[in-house]
Amino acid sequence: MTTTGEDHVTARGGPAWWDRRRGAVLDVSLGAVSALECAVEGVPFARDAGIPVGTGALFGLLAGSVLVVRRKWPIAVVLVALAITPAEMGFLLGVVGLYTLAASELPRRIIGALAGMTFLGTLIVTFVRLRQDMGRDGVDVGDWFFPFASIGTSLGMTAPPLLLGLYVGQRRRLMESLRERADSLERELQLLAERAEERAEWARGEERTRIAREMHDVVAHRVSLMVVHAAALQAVARKDPEKAVKNAALVGDMGRQALTELREMLGVLRSGGGGARAERASVPLAAVGVAAAVAASRAAEGGEASSDGPCLSELDELIGQSQAAGMVVDLSVEGETRPYAAEVESTAFRVVQEALTNVHKHAAGAKTYVRLAHRVSEIAMQVENEPPPEPSGETSARLPSGGNGLVGMKERVAALGGVFVSGPTDAGGFRVSAVIPAS
């Protein structure tokens, strides 16, 4: 805002100190009218003062034209109006100047002081001129008339422009304050929207990663076993028909289990979990991810599912499936078996499952050792395989690898505050170790 309370705009459209062209046109017009008024009033002033009429008119013209700079120097305009008040000049200059001063952002003490000087100057000049005019005309009035008329005239010339200027200035400042608050609120809302979008995008990425990890852990193990059994079936189909029939049945069971789990996860992604058909509205991705994780963790043996995900009691069945596929697996358990939180047992199970899947993929036929240790405040697991035997062209399953298994295991363990380590052994095998807090 300017010193007169006008709205400040970034793009200035007016000349010199004016913000807008219409403001410049208004001030120039007021200055011209004020200059003409003061020039006309300068003629009787020159006659009374005994100076040339042209000088008085020129003085009034210059004094009245000061109104042009009222927005830039309102104090100067009021002081000029005060200076020419004894000459009974500058009525428009004094009224407009006082209004501009009151509407400006100058301190109230300055506005009050100049308004009081204007009132006092007008009061004195009016009082003196009334007594002179009445005495010259021979009009006899009471002594009370002169102060009453002087005070009324002074109030009429100072109070209306002063009050109007204060109201207009306060209103302009209020509107500017409201505009600034609205702009600030809009910026804050925009910032909040951007942050919300960033959080939503981060959440979507996290849930996509989570769902991909669950699908990998659940499906990859069973499909890997299917491929291993299929390769064995191809190798023994003619030599041992009875074993081929057994392998074919295992492949069928593994396929049905994999399809069941896939169907459960796809159902969660389509309906938002729970299988409730009454809820047709869109479900937030976070809820889908949680439900998908729960559904992906279900063990689908015999058509029964556990809502808490796989548990350590199912390790024997998991190892039995790998043994049925031809892997030699040795399981050892240390410590006293006890129940853990669902997410701890599920993570421990998935680590062992993914480690066995990697043995099927990269070290088929290698002997594998699975160790599980129940400690006071944690549970530890280790899966280590010996170097694989020389691959056979007839039985090699050639399982593909996406490279995400170890990453997924590490993410699962780290999410529970545990430690995950993996790497090759000195003997040429591979070891996967994880320690998960029990609480």
Side-chain angles (χ1 to χ4, degrees):
M1 297 177 67
T2 63
T3 56
T4 60
E6 294 289 343
D7 291 340
H8 176 75
V9 290
T10 304
R12 298 174 64 89
W17 58 83
W18 288 283
D19 292 329
R20 290 174 289 186
R21 294 184 182 275
R22 64 180 183 180
V25 173
L26 176 62
D27 289 354
V28 171
S29 301
L30 289 175
V33 174
S34 177
L36 181 60
E37 176 204 350
C38 291
V40 172
E41 293 172 344
V43 174
F45 167 71
R47 290 173 182 171
D48 294 341
I51 60 176
V53 175
T55 302
L58 180 60
F59 173 75
L61 186 67
L62 293 176
S65 62
V66 176
L67 194 58
V68 175
V69 297
R70 70 182 184 93
R71 298 176 190 263
K72 190 171 183 62
W73 296 299
I75 296 178
V77 174
V78 175
L79 291 177
V80 170
L82 279 172
I84 63 176
T85 298
E88 297 185 2
M89 298 169 56
F91 172 78
L92 181 63
L93 180 66
V95 172
V96 177
L98 188 58
Y99 161 79
T100 305
L101 178 70
S104 68
E105 293 184 348
L106 292 172
R108 292 297 177 85
R109 62 180 182 275
I110 297 179
I111 297 174
L114 291 176
M117 293 170 60
T118 302
F119 174 79
L120 185 60
T122 306
L123 177 66
I124 294 173
V125 171
T126 304
F127 183 83
V128 172
R129 296 300 297 182
L130 279 176
R131 289 185 67 90
Q132 290 178 353
D133 292 342
M134 292 299 181
R136 185 172 52 248
D137 296 339
V139 179
D140 186 14
V141 293
D143 293 338
W144 61 269
F145 175 77
F146 299 109
F148 178 78
S150 300
I151 294 174
T153 303
S154 300
L155 285 175
M157 292 185 63
T158 56
L162 178 65
L163 296 177
L164 181 61
L166 290 174
Y167 167 74
V168 172
Q170 186 64 28
R171 183 177 179 274
R172 288 172 179 171
R173 286 187 285 273
L174 177 61
M175 295 300 295
E176 182 66 20
S177 175
L178 293 176
R179 189 178 296 110
E180 290 177 356
R181 291 182 182 180
D183 293 341
S184 176
L185 181 60
E186 183 178 358
R187 288 192 296 269
E188 291 179 2
L189 289 176
Q190 184 177 2
L191 182 61
L192 289 175
E194 292 176 356
R195 290 181 178 177
E197 181 63 28
E198 292 176 359
R199 288 195 295 269
E201 184 62 30
W202 175 83
R204 285 192 290 268
E206 287 293 316
E207 292 306 322
R208 280 193 289 266
T209 303
R210 187 177 184 175
I211 293 172
R213 183 170 61 243
E214 293 291 343
M215 295 185 69
H216 175 272
D217 291 346
V218 171
V219 178
H221 178 73
R222 299 196 185 282
V223 174
S224 298
L225 291 179
M226 290 172 59
V227 175
V228 170
H229 282 299
L233 175 62
Q234 182 181 3
V236 302
R238 296 181 179 178
K239 300 178 182 179
D240 191 349
E242 188 173 329
K243 187 175 182 180
V245 171
K246 182 179 179 181
N247 286 340
L250 289 174
V251 170
D253 291 340
M254 294 293 176
R256 280 187 291 272
Q257 293 171 5
L259 286 175
T260 300
E261 294 179 355
L262 275 176
R263 189 178 298 110
E264 289 180 0
M265 282 187 287
L266 291 177
V268 168
L269 293 176
R270 288 176 179 173
S271 64
R277 298 184 178 182
E279 187 68 32
R280 294 297 183 183
S282 60
V283 179
L285 187 56
V288 175
V290 173
V294 173
S297 301
R298 294 176 179 174
E301 291 298 327
E304 296 181 356
S306 174
S307 59
D308 294 333
C311 54
L312 293 176
S313 61
E314 301 175 12
L315 276 182
D316 291 335
E317 182 180 355
L318 177 68
I319 293 174
Q321 293 174 352
S322 296
Q323 291 173 341
M327 180 188 296
V328 179
V329 185
D330 180 25
L331 173 63
S332 62
V333 180
E334 300 176 5
E336 183 179 354
T337 303
R338 65 182 188 275
Y340 299 94
E343 59 271 15
V344 173
E345 294 209 13
S346 175
T347 301
F349 181 89
R350 293 302 185 197
V351 169
V352 176
Q353 182 187 57
E354 179 60 29
L356 292 177
T357 301
N358 287 340
V359 175
H360 283 294
K361 290 181 179 180
H362 308 291
K367 186 175 182 179
T368 305
Y369 302 91
V370 179
R371 300 182 180 91
L372 189 65
H374 300 277
R375 299 170 182 169
V376 176
S377 59
E378 61 188 17
I379 178 173
M381 65 226 66
Q382 183 182 90
V383 179
E384 181 180 349
N385 63 273
E386 297 178 350
E390 291 296 328
S392 174
E394 296 179 356
T395 62
S396 178
R398 296 190 299 274
L399 292 170
S401 175
N404 297 319
L406 294 177
V407 175
M409 284 190 285
K410 186 174 183 179
E411 290 176 350
R412 283 180 177 274
V413 174
L416 298 178
V419 179
F420 177 85
V421 179
S422 63
T425 62
D426 295 336
F430 198 85
R431 181 187 298 118
V432 172
S433 301
V435 178
I436 304 174
S439 55

